Amino acid sequence: SNRPGLSSILTGNGKVETSPLFDTLQKTDEPDLTMLPSGPVVDSLSGLLSSSRMTAILNQLSENALVVIDGPAVLTSSDAVILAKKCDGVLMVADARRTSASKLKQALEILAQMNVCILGVILNRANKE
């Protein structure tokens, strides 16, 4: 369910409360895996993602767990770079059927220019041949 999620917390008033944040997390069928949905679509998402409130949310979550963010493609959204700068490292995922080597290189260069720590690249949907 994409019921209240990250966008709901980011647009809330006042301090990031521990209880509402953790109440928004959703359990999954996988043991020890919890998810924070994106929440409803909001205007000016980039401003919210770059806010001190977003940093506070990530800090609270990382006190108790390893946080993995599934973000948008670097070349299609400035939000990807905003999120990447808030992370300890980025693992780029490239679709072998749709991502050209030049586009992958361009995306990696953008992240490098922003001093983002690139941990590696996963090539998804590659032929086994």
Side-chain angles (χ1 to χ4, degrees), residues 28-42:
T28 68
D29 292 335
E30 295 296 321
D32 301 320
L33 179 64
T34 307
M35 188 179 93
L36 175 61
S38 61
V41 175
V42 294

Side-chain angles (χ1 to χ4, degrees), residues 42-114:
V42 294
D43 292 330
S44 64
L45 180 61
S46 295
L48 293 172
L49 293 177
S50 61
S51 69
S52 59
R53 191 174 187 83
M54 179 66 180
T55 301
I57 291 168
L58 290 174
N59 288 341
Q60 277 189 315
L61 291 172
S62 64
E63 287 177 5
N64 299 298
L66 173 67
V67 177
V68 177
I69 299 172
D70 181 11
V74 172
L75 298 180
T76 62
S77 172
S78 61
D79 296 343
V81 175
I82 292 168
L83 286 170
K85 290 178 71 169
K86 292 193 174 286
C87 296
D88 293 330
V90 170
L91 187 57
M92 178 78 70
V93 179
D95 185 333
R97 297 180 303 178
R98 298 176 55 193
T99 307
S100 67
S102 64
K103 292 292 185 187
L104 176 59
K105 182 179 177 187
Q106 183 183 2
L108 291 170
E109 287 172 353
I110 289 169
L111 293 175
Q113 288 173 357
M114 301 305 288

